[in-house]
Amino acid sequence: MRLVKASLLNFILSLPFLIITSTASPRDYPNHDKQQKSLPSLPLPVEIIHEFPRGTWVENLAIRSNGLILATLVSAPEIYQVDPKTRIASLVAKVPAVTGLFGIASIEKDVYYVIAGNFSFATFTAKAGSFSVWRVDVKTFEPNKTLAEVDKVVDIPQAQFLNGATLLSRNEGTLLIVDSLLGSVFRVNTRSKEVKVVIKDPLFDTTSTATIRVGINGLHLRRN
């Protein structure tokens, strides 16, 4: 798996690609012409920042305030930090008793919350009841010296396949986390440990005839 750099989009994963289209016309955006003049021409230049070993599944990214990249792996319960200048990847943390990591989100500076669980590449399915949320404090992390501190926040046994995560409220310490099989969005309070389904919509569901049974995958709040 490769991390690549694009001048406009910062950092994207080489695979898989997500393509979003829109039916909106230029007149729907009053500042469209001004914004269009400031954008670089397409296609954007792309360069490899770091290439992980064959068989590595890089799942989610978070950009630290210093510009360094945190990447979670599904193929191992590990988080890596990638320096876009030196192009070196350093192990940040390992989460015990699970096979992989999924979504990652930050509530406070240099403190991240990751989704951990068991996933089978043989059957391409997640193990229901194996998912939990972990706190990763990277303030004391030093590459090749000291790993980040890792602590379990809460188990979510009712979940079937937790995936993407995003910040909901810094003041309340809450996250939104999607379940790709249940078609639901959980609200997780990292302080009180309360877990509650706050959105359930048929549009988020997977289908029984799908080759890969995955419904809603990720989410992001616009103001964040």
Side-chain angles (χ1 to χ4, degrees):
M1 179 68 76
R2 296 175 176 177
L3 286 181
V4 297
K5 177 181 178 182
S7 60
L8 177 62
L9 300 178
N10 290 330
F11 306 99
I12 60 174
L13 288 176
S14 59
L15 287 173
F17 287 109
L18 174 64
I19 301 175
I20 301 175
T21 60
S22 173
T23 57
S25 65
R27 65 175 176 272
D28 295 320
Y29 302 93
N31 298 322
H32 175 269
D33 292 337
K34 184 183 298 184
Q35 294 172 352
Q36 193 72 15
K37 292 178 182 178
S38 63
L39 294 177
S41 59
L42 299 176
L44 298 172
V46 175
E47 62 183 272
I48 296 173
I49 292 176
H50 180 77
E51 186 169 359
F52 286 86
R54 185 179 296 273
T56 304
W57 183 312
V58 179
E59 175 64 11
N60 260 293
L61 304 180
I63 311 300
R64 297 182 60 184
S65 58
N66 57 12
L68 300 178
I69 308 165
L70 295 179
T72 64
L73 305 188
V74 175
S75 50
E78 299 172 347
I79 303 173
Y80 280 82
Q81 177 176 278
V82 179
D83 187 326
K85 294 181 179 179
T86 65
R87 308 191 180 200
I88 295 174
S90 304
L91 178 65
V92 173
K94 292 183 178 182
V95 174
V98 293
T99 63
L101 305 180
F102 298 84
I104 181 171
S106 176
I107 293 179
E108 56 188 284
K109 183 178 179 181
D110 286 335
V111 176
Y112 294 84
Y113 293 83
V114 297
I115 311 305
N118 295 333
F119 184 87
S120 170
F121 283 93
T123 60
F124 211 82
T125 56
K127 182 179 179 181
S130 68
F131 287 86
S132 53
V133 178
W134 291 71
R135 183 180 185 270
V136 182
D137 188 339
V138 301
K139 290 192 291 291
T140 58
F141 165 68
E142 293 185 51
N144 304 316
K145 292 183 180 181
T146 308
L147 294 181
E149 296 180 7
V150 176
D151 298 289
K152 183 185 285 188
V153 176
V154 63
D155 288 313
I156 309 182
Q158 64 269 45
Q160 293 189 18
F161 184 5
L162 294 184
N163 206 330
T166 192
L167 169 68
L168 177 60
S169 171
R170 293 188 191 279
N171 292 335
E172 297 178 2
T174 51
L175 303 169
L176 292 179
I177 302 174
V178 306
D179 191 308
S180 294
L181 280 183
L182 292 179
S184 303
V185 178
F186 287 92
R187 182 184 65 205
V188 176
N189 190 309
T190 61
R191 297 168 188 166
S192 69
K193 321 301 184 187
E194 180 190 33
V195 177
K196 182 179 181 180
V197 173
V198 291
I199 304 175
K200 172 67 176 173
D201 193 291
L203 293 175
F204 294 165
D205 290 340
T206 182
T207 62
S208 59
T209 58
T211 304
I212 300 175
R213 295 195 62 208
V214 175
I216 182 174
N217 192 301
L219 78 167
H220 187 73
L221 295 183
R222 185 176 180 181
R223 69 175 186 273
N224 292 334

